[in-house]
Amino acid sequence: MSKVSVNKSPSLRGETKVPGDKSISHRSLMFGAIANGETHIRGLLKGEDNMSTLKAFRAMGIEITEREGTVLVKGKGLHGLSEPGDVLDAGNSGTTIRLMSGLLAGQSFYSVMTGDRYQRVRPMKRVIEPLTQMGARIYGRDGGRFAPLSIVGTQLKGIAYDSPVASAQVKSSIILAGLYADGLTSVTEPTLSRDHTERMLGHFGVKLDRQGMTVSIKGGQELSAGEIIVPGDISSAAFLIVAALIVKGSELKIKDVGVNPTRTGIVDVLKAMGGDITLENERVFAGEPVADIVIRSSHLKGVEIGGDLIPRLIDEVPVLAVAAAMAEGKTKITGARELRVKESDRIKTVSAELSKFGTRIEELDDGMVIEGRESLSGCNINSYGDHRIAMAMAVAGLIADGETVIDGSEAIDVSFPGFFEALKGLT
Ligand code: S3P
């Protein structure tokens, strides 16, 4: 396990970019592989999660190469994948295993998918259940609760599924299975989760219908290869945004960040806390809104958040908790039980690690209450193998007195290779 030491930082200033969006990168590889023609992807995230997806498609006979920074995926059409000769390894990536379960369920071959030790204890029933209703033959450990998953491809049939969770992974898995199913497949979610699948399938020429919280797809539609420009990941930008807000005297511009409204909850909340954040130069890349984000350090105040906002910032709660730790007053986060089944149980891991800095934090069943204070003390942090815990606590380390050591910092490569170099370049 690698360790990185973080010390009190001078102000963050200048212009920067963040690596490509992880969710959009996964989808561009997956959809490119089953499209007709060659898909060109600019700005693909080369994090470990996306490399798991890339390797899985190579193992199913898809040629993926790179030319002058553009990744080329030679799609073979809806029925062009071939049976993998070995187990597919999704590593730490929940998006890979869950979305691909839907895709693989409708193939005419057998496949097995596994993941790392953190992945193998994450819930898979949430996708196995609806896929089984569609006729899928998909099996996992402990009655289908956990990976490895074993998938005997078969002809699927469309269903109307009412999802109990607002999860883009569940929704996308069913939509992908729906592409291979007879008839119409629809998914209804309690609140809107990120909609990159819907947007990108539209970009590849697939027709989807949206009515409120329900999205429907007709099976058998072919995808046409396209050009994708992957915007910067707002979930990665969030670490730099919070760093610039809490490190005094900072002024930062992060260029070309994806600002899809299903992902910008973090910007809305930080603004409500008093954060000086502006969006400039708004444009659209392949159906996804993009902007430059300008941040100036600010005096933050505690807030209460919950409800429909939660899916719009679910991955940003660890770093939002760091902002709350430096805000005046209390911040209360509720309705975020999903945090318990992320790369780590983030209610537990955020509470355990942030309290080491001297922050008072109360764990709730579905969230947390954080009491802000004026200073933090450096400490030894455990990442629990979770990239976002490692980065959030490194941001806290930038304002803490004394040294903060992040143990297990290699987890950061899952989504933000070059994170520490990016921070260093701004100070
Ligand atoms: C993702 C969806 C979210 C998110 C994850 C990426 C995606 O998970 O937390 O990091 O790319 O679809 P859920 O769908 O489980 O909420």
Side-chain angles (χ1 to χ4, degrees):
M1 280 221 289
S2 54
K3 283 186 190 194
V4 173
S5 143
V6 182
N7 286 289
K8 220 180 178 118
S9 166
S11 52
L12 282 81
R13 304 188 75 86
E15 273 188 20
T16 191
K17 283 191 178 188
V18 288
D21 187 280
K22 182 157 73 69
S23 294
I24 296 175
S25 294
H26 281 300
R27 288 157 173 84
S28 63
L29 291 166
M30 292 180 191
F31 302 171
I34 57 167
N36 294 307
E38 193 170 89
T39 291
H40 295 187
I41 313 167
R42 262 204 282 154
L44 182 86
L45 172 61
K46 303 277 183 55
E48 283 171 4
D49 270 15
N50 299 109
M51 291 306 105
S52 298
T53 295
L54 184 146
K55 284 180 203 154
F57 282 97
R58 277 195 180 143
M60 292 189 286
I62 300 297
E63 200 181 310
I64 306 173
T65 52
E66 184 163 3
R67 203 190 310 136
E68 290 159 11
T70 298
V71 172
L72 314 176
V73 183
K74 274 206 178 134
K76 288 190 167 178
L78 215 48
H79 299 284
L81 300 175
S82 45
E83 184 171 88
D86 203 346
V87 172
L88 302 172
D89 187 359
N92 194 244
S93 174
T95 307
T96 305
I97 202 162
R98 298 210 182 95
L99 268 61
M100 287 188 60
S101 302
L103 184 69
L104 293 172
Q107 303 299 321
S108 55
F109 55 74
Y110 172 70
S111 54
V112 180
M113 246 187 323
T114 191
D116 68 11
R117 66 191 173 101
Y118 305 103
Q119 170 96 273
R120 293 195 307 272
V121 293
R122 296 186 67 187
M124 294 299 146
K125 259 251 155 81
R126 51 179 58 200
V127 290
I128 293 187
E129 224 161 64
L131 293 173
T132 304
Q133 286 178 26
M134 295 177 78
R137 293 193 286 158
I138 167 165
Y139 314 94
R141 287 188 303 119
D142 196 13
R145 288 178 66 210
F146 304 116
L149 304 180
S150 172
I151 304 170
V152 184
T154 189
Q155 182 55 49
L156 304 174
K157 56 178 192 300
I159 56 163
Y161 186 67
D162 213 344
S163 176
V165 279
S167 159
Q169 292 179 357
V170 171
K171 172 175 63 178
S172 306
S173 182
I174 300 168
I175 291 176
L176 283 171
L179 259 183
Y180 289 90
D182 289 329
L184 196 71
T185 299
S186 56
V187 191
T188 304
E189 44 185 351
T191 40
L192 186 64
S193 63
R194 63 190 67 190
D195 64 356
H196 304 301
T197 295
E198 297 93 304
R199 286 176 189 252
M200 199 184 289
L201 280 177
H203 188 69
F204 277 86
V206 172
K207 289 202 171 60
L208 291 117
D209 177 60
R210 173 165 286 287
Q211 304 288 336
M213 290 299 121
T214 303
V215 61
S216 308
I217 184 168
K218 224 167 107 198
Q221 298 186 62
E222 292 283 344
L223 284 69
S224 330
E227 303 280 326
I228 307 281
I229 306 174
V230 181
D233 198 327
I234 191 161
S235 296
S236 297
F239 298 104
L240 303 185
I241 295 174
V242 171
L245 287 174
I246 63 179
V247 176
K248 290 204 169 64
S250 299
E251 181 166 350
L252 188 64
K253 182 188 267 192
I254 313 174
K255 295 179 79 175
D256 303 340
V257 183
V259 289
N260 178 318
T262 60
R263 298 282 301 280
T264 47
I266 183 68
V267 172
D268 297 349
V269 170
L270 290 171
K271 275 186 174 175
M273 293 173 81
D276 182 348
I277 304 175
T278 39
L279 266 54
E280 292 180 350
N281 194 18
E282 294 190 40
R283 293 146 285 154
V284 176
F285 288 0
E288 290 282 353
V290 176
D292 301 339
I293 303 183
V294 180
I295 312 104
R296 293 181 190 84
S297 34
S298 309
H299 177 78
L300 300 177
K301 295 205 167 110
V303 277
E304 288 207 3
I305 63 164
D308 292 2
L309 184 60
I310 297 298
R312 297 180 54 230
L313 52 63
I314 192 72
D315 289 344
E316 286 64 72
V317 172
V319 78
L320 177 60
V322 172
M326 289 304 288
E328 187 187 324
K330 272 189 191 172
T331 293
K332 187 173 185 184
I333 303 170
T334 55
R337 218 177 177 284
E338 276 292 297
L339 290 172
R340 296 215 178 261
V341 293
K342 293 295 173 188
E343 288 84 329
S344 66
D345 174 343
R346 287 184 178 155
I347 295 183
K348 215 183 232 157
T349 53
V350 166
S351 304
E353 299 313 289
L354 203 48
S355 60
K356 291 182 183 169
F357 286 96
T359 304
R360 283 180 60 184
I361 176 162
E362 183 196 343
E363 242 191 71
L364 306 174
D365 175 52
D366 66 342
M368 57 193 88
V369 181
I370 303 144
E371 250 176 64
R373 51 190 280 142
E374 271 168 19
S375 65
L376 301 179
S377 325
C379 54
N380 286 325
I381 290 298
N382 180 351
S383 75
Y384 302 91
D386 183 336
H387 54 135
R388 300 200 203 280
I389 297 297
M391 288 186 274
M393 298 308 143
V395 169
L398 298 177
I399 39 138
D401 297 319
E403 189 184 42
T404 297
V405 177
I406 314 283
D407 210 350
S409 57
E410 69 282 353
I412 292 172
D413 289 341
V414 154
S415 67
F416 198 157
F419 170 71
F420 288 108
E421 291 75 8
L423 275 179
K424 212 171 275 168
L426 294 168
T427 56

